[in-house]
Amino acid sequence: DYLSKKGILAYVPLLTKVKRYQRKVKKYEVPIINNYVFVCIGRDEFTKVLETEQVIKFIRIGKELISIPQYEIDILKKIEGKELDVEVTNINYEIGDDVEISLGSLVGLRGKLVSKAGKKKFTVELDHLGISLRLDVDINSLSKLNYYNRVTA
């Protein structure tokens, strides 16, 4: 509500929960992802958003702001308002997983996860132009590819 009063387009995806009591049924809404509000803004509106009450920060990787792809927002909108049992968890990466770099100057490059260095750093092998190139990549800049993404790429 604070953001909309400033003219900022904001979105909080909500799920409908049902609590059954002996004599009545109560429905209420809860955020799908706690503490996240998605905003659609231009660079000139960053400060306006950060100066808003209860806004703490933007999601970043290093110094780079994260832009959520529209297809992920569309997925949230499809499950919004439904009476579903949704659990939000972090993605677990395993050696051999097909991944895509989703942030930075290498966006869109796909490869195979070949090693882990702690919880935050991974080595991704990229096979392009007949060579094998190994890059150290931050976990937050990776997206795991499912079977459908690999086949249609």
Side-chain angles (χ1 to χ4, degrees):
D1 200 36
Y2 294 117
L3 291 165
S4 62
K5 286 179 182 175
K6 291 183 172 189
I8 303 291
L9 181 60
Y11 170 61
V12 178
L14 301 171
L15 277 178
T16 301
K17 295 287 186 175
V18 177
K19 185 80 173 180
R20 300 187 194 293
Y21 298 98
Q22 247 179 344
R23 296 184 183 251
K24 67 179 178 176
V25 175
K26 175 146 173 111
K27 288 187 178 187
Y28 58 98
E29 293 181 321
V30 295
I32 294 173
I33 306 169
N34 288 328
N35 303 316
Y36 277 59
V37 175
F38 299 95
V39 293
C40 184
I41 58 172
R43 292 206 178 272
D44 58 326
E45 296 174 297
F46 288 165
T47 303
K48 191 191 303 187
V49 170
L50 286 173
E51 290 174 343
T52 304
E53 190 175 335
Q54 299 184 11
V55 171
I56 297 169
K57 64 181 178 179
F58 288 108
I59 304 283
R60 296 177 182 266
I61 294 184
K63 294 181 180 179
E64 191 171 334
L65 292 174
I66 295 176
S67 177
I68 307 301
Q70 186 60 46
Y71 73 89
E72 289 188 12
I73 298 295
D74 293 341
I75 290 169
L76 291 171
K77 287 181 177 182
K78 283 182 182 179
I79 62 175
E80 182 176 25
K82 306 262 188 317
E83 293 177 23
L84 300 172
D85 187 19
V86 175
E87 181 180 339
V88 178
T89 60
N90 291 328
I91 297 172
N92 292 319
Y93 292 94
E94 299 295 330
I95 303 299
D97 284 348
D98 291 312
V99 294
E100 179 175 27
I101 298 175
S102 56
L103 292 172
S105 59
L106 300 176
V107 166
L109 289 178
R110 294 179 177 194
K112 188 169 293 297
L113 189 66
V114 293
S115 72
K116 296 181 182 183
K119 293 182 179 179
K120 298 246 179 192
K121 283 283 193 187
F122 292 83
T123 301
V124 176
E125 184 175 79
L126 303 170
D127 294 313
H128 294 279
L129 303 174
I131 62 170
S132 178
L133 174 64
R134 289 183 183 234
L135 303 169
D136 287 331
V137 179
D138 187 284
I139 185 175
N140 295 313
S141 66
L142 288 180
S143 297
K144 190 184 258 189
L145 294 174
N146 61 28
Y147 178 77
Y148 178 77
N149 288 345
R150 290 192 308 263
V151 173
T152 60

